[in-house]
Amino acid sequence: MRKTNYTKYNPKTYKVYGSDPVGNHTLQIVMSNDRGCYDFVRKNAKRLSRMSKGRAITLIKSNATESWAKRDLKTVNGSNTNANQLKLYLNNFNK
Protein backbone atom coordinates (compact mmCIF):
# COMPACT_ATOMS: atom_id res chain seq x y z
CA MET A 1 0.00 0.00 0.00
CA ARG A 2 1.33 3.43 -0.93
CA LYS A 3 1.74 5.96 1.80
CA THR A 4 -0.07 9.20 1.06
CA ASN A 5 2.00 12.29 1.58
CA TYR A 6 -0.05 15.04 3.24
CA THR A 7 1.81 18.32 3.10
CA LYS A 8 0.97 21.84 4.08
CA TYR A 9 0.07 24.50 1.54
CA ASN A 10 2.63 24.66 -1.22
CA PRO A 11 2.38 27.84 -3.30
CA LYS A 12 3.61 25.97 -6.37
CA THR A 13 0.46 23.81 -6.23
CA TYR A 14 -1.90 26.60 -7.26
CA LYS A 15 -1.89 29.35 -9.82
CA VAL A 16 -1.08 32.29 -7.62
CA TYR A 17 -2.19 35.92 -7.64
CA GLY A 18 0.39 37.61 -5.44
CA SER A 19 0.57 35.29 -2.45
CA ASP A 20 -3.02 33.98 -2.70
CA PRO A 21 -4.31 31.24 -4.99
CA VAL A 22 -6.30 32.65 -7.91
CA GLY A 23 -9.54 30.99 -6.80
CA ASN A 24 -9.38 32.59 -3.36
CA HIS A 25 -8.66 36.00 -4.88
CA THR A 26 -11.59 35.75 -7.31
CA LEU A 27 -13.98 34.50 -4.62
CA GLN A 28 -13.04 37.36 -2.29
CA ILE A 29 -13.61 39.94 -5.03
CA VAL A 30 -17.03 38.49 -5.89
CA MET A 31 -18.10 38.10 -2.25
CA SER A 32 -17.18 41.73 -1.57
CA ASN A 33 -18.53 43.42 -4.74
CA ASP A 34 -21.54 41.42 -6.00
CA ARG A 35 -24.56 42.59 -3.98
CA GLY A 36 -26.52 39.32 -4.10
CA CYS A 37 -23.51 37.22 -3.22
CA TYR A 38 -22.48 39.67 -0.48
CA ASP A 39 -25.90 39.47 1.19
CA PHE A 40 -25.90 35.67 1.03
CA VAL A 41 -22.40 35.33 2.46
CA ARG A 42 -23.06 37.96 5.14
CA LYS A 43 -26.07 35.98 6.39
CA ASN A 44 -24.45 32.53 6.08
CA ALA A 45 -20.72 33.07 6.61
CA LYS A 46 -20.39 30.84 9.69
CA ARG A 47 -22.38 28.03 8.09
CA LEU A 48 -20.32 28.26 4.89
CA SER A 49 -17.05 28.14 6.84
CA ARG A 50 -18.07 24.81 8.41
CA MET A 51 -18.90 23.22 5.04
CA SER A 52 -16.50 21.36 2.82
CA LYS A 53 -14.59 23.52 0.36
CA GLY A 54 -16.42 22.18 -2.71
CA ARG A 55 -19.88 22.64 -1.23
CA ALA A 56 -19.11 26.19 -0.04
CA ILE A 57 -17.75 27.18 -3.46
CA THR A 58 -20.84 25.74 -5.17
CA LEU A 59 -23.21 27.72 -2.94
CA ILE A 60 -21.26 30.95 -3.36
CA LYS A 61 -21.20 30.51 -7.14
CA SER A 62 -24.94 29.80 -7.26
CA ASN A 63 -25.77 33.04 -5.43
CA ALA A 64 -23.84 35.37 -7.72
CA THR A 65 -26.18 37.81 -9.44
CA GLU A 66 -24.02 40.06 -11.62
CA SER A 67 -22.96 38.90 -15.09
CA TRP A 68 -19.29 39.78 -14.48
CA ALA A 69 -19.32 37.74 -11.27
CA LYS A 70 -20.83 34.67 -12.95
CA ARG A 71 -18.28 34.92 -15.74
CA ASP A 72 -15.35 35.24 -13.32
CA LEU A 73 -16.57 32.41 -11.09
CA LYS A 74 -16.51 29.94 -13.99
CA THR A 75 -12.75 29.66 -13.47
CA VAL A 76 -13.00 29.00 -9.71
CA ASN A 77 -12.88 25.38 -8.56
CA GLY A 78 -11.47 23.31 -5.74
CA SER A 79 -8.09 22.82 -7.37
CA ASN A 80 -7.28 26.55 -7.50
CA THR A 81 -8.70 27.43 -4.08
CA ASN A 82 -7.07 26.93 -0.69
CA ALA A 83 -9.60 25.71 1.90
CA ASN A 84 -7.84 27.19 4.93
CA GLN A 85 -7.73 30.68 3.43
CA LEU A 86 -11.37 30.44 2.31
CA LYS A 87 -12.54 29.36 5.77
CA LEU A 88 -10.47 32.08 7.45
CA TYR A 89 -11.99 34.72 5.15
CA LEU A 90 -15.52 33.42 5.82
CA ASN A 91 -14.96 33.32 9.60
CA ASN A 92 -13.87 36.96 9.56
CA PHE A 93 -16.43 38.14 6.98
CA ASN A 94 -18.74 40.04 9.34
CA LYS A 95 -16.00 41.55 11.50
Side-chain angles (χ1 to χ4, degrees), residues 31 35-52 55-64 86-95:
M31 287 188 278
R35 189 64 184 176
C37 191
Y38 173 82
D39 290 339
F40 172 75
V41 174
R42 184 176 48 82
K43 291 176 188 172
N44 301 300
K46 294 294 180 192
R47 188 179 66 134
L48 286 168
S49 68
R50 290 189 300 256
M51 291 181 181
S52 67
R55 182 74 178 130
I57 291 171
T58 303
L59 285 173
I60 292 167
K61 288 169 84 170
S62 67
N63 283 286
L86 176 61
K87 290 173 190 275
L88 181 66
Y89 185 77
L90 289 170
N91 278 328
N92 298 324
F93 194 77
N94 292 325
K95 294 179 183 177

